[in-house]
Amino acid sequence: MSYAGDLTPQEAWTKLEQGAILVDVRTEGEWAHIGIPVTESANEKHNDPLFLPWTFAGGIPNPDFIARLTEQAPEDSGTELVFLCRSGQRSIAAATAATQAGFTSYNVLEGFEGEPDRHGERKVNGWKNRGLPTNLGSK
């Protein structure tokens, strides 16, 4: 593994309570139509999530991802970053790249929506289906 580790959504929440920052790497369309994680109640620092797409619509890579992350992430090198995508796959790539850039990075297993059920609906697991705070359908 080329990043600090994988976390369940609840373990990710615990990391946020300890001061980590969530980095949502989904697309703008996903944020607008599916919803976003809310982290303001996770800790006293009120570390707002960072919204930084790993890819753009159509799977086009974001060539400025690390540059934007470096601009937006806190200067404190001890701050851990927790990466979240739809299902926990893009966030692996993002956590790996961030680790290579010097950040302590974790991936959220199951992602925001989780895996699809037998009908193709994403109701099985993931951040929102595990009852963690969300703002559904807007950013």
Side-chain angles (χ1 to χ4, degrees), residues 12-115:
W13 184 260
T14 299
K15 280 280 184 201
L16 299 178
E17 289 176 325
Q18 296 168 351
I21 295 177
L22 186 71
V23 183
D24 189 330
V25 300
R26 297 174 299 143
T27 64
E28 289 185 26
E30 288 172 296
W31 300 326
H33 300 290
I34 298 167
I36 60 170
V38 175
T39 62
E40 53 195 39
S41 64
N43 65 57
E44 295 176 6
K45 292 169 87 173
H46 299 292
N47 289 338
D48 292 330
L50 302 178
F51 295 95
L52 186 58
W54 175 249
T55 59
F56 298 112
I60 299 167
N62 179 355
D64 298 322
F65 181 81
I66 292 298
R68 299 290 86 79
L69 180 64
T70 301
E71 289 172 0
Q72 295 179 32
E75 296 289 328
D76 176 6
S77 61
T79 301
E80 297 175 315
L81 302 179
V82 176
F83 289 85
L84 175 77
C85 68
R86 179 181 185 181
S87 63
Q89 296 304 307
R90 284 174 285 176
S91 51
I92 289 172
T96 300
T99 298
Q100 291 170 351
F103 293 98
T104 301
S105 308
Y106 294 86
N107 170 56
V108 179
L109 296 168
E110 305 173 9
F112 185 73
E113 292 183 81
E115 60 191 68

